[in-house]
Amino acid sequence: MKTSLNHLEKGGCGRVIALTCQKATARRLLELGVTPNTRIYCIRWAPMHGAIEVKIRGYLLAVGYNDAASILIEKEGG
């Protein structure tokens, strides 16, 4: 099922499909390893639409809620 990263529940995982943010933000996310066809796991959420902590390529990354909304993913099981 295709959705954005900010809809991924805690403990869920998915595969990055595309980035729909501004060019500068997309470039920074690509530098951090958020590239298409990369598996991403949701570790935890900060309260009140704060940052989302994800595990990608073996390291933890905190992504702001608005930036997470621009990362399109396809949900996977486990």
Side-chain angles (χ1 to χ4, degrees):
M1 181 170 97
K2 295 180 183 179
T3 185
S4 59
L5 180 60
N6 64 342
H7 290 105
L8 190 61
E9 62 279 349
K10 180 180 173 182
C13 73
R15 225 173 249 289
V16 177
I17 298 173
L19 303 175
T20 61
C21 49
Q22 294 179 356
K23 190 175 181 179
T25 305
R27 186 174 343 136
R28 183 63 180 145
L29 289 171
L30 289 169
E31 290 172 353
L32 291 170
V34 183
T35 58
N37 207 27
T38 302
R39 186 169 283 145
I40 190 166
Y41 301 92
C42 181
I43 303 298
R44 68 179 130 200
W45 285 73
M48 299 179 65
H49 295 294
I52 301 168
E53 185 177 14
V54 296
K55 183 174 183 180
I56 187 165
R57 297 185 183 268
Y59 71 95
L60 298 177
L61 174 67
V63 180
Y65 185 83
N66 292 330
D67 291 336
S70 67
I71 301 172
L72 298 180
I73 64 165
E74 186 167 356
K75 286 186 180 180
E76 295 180 347

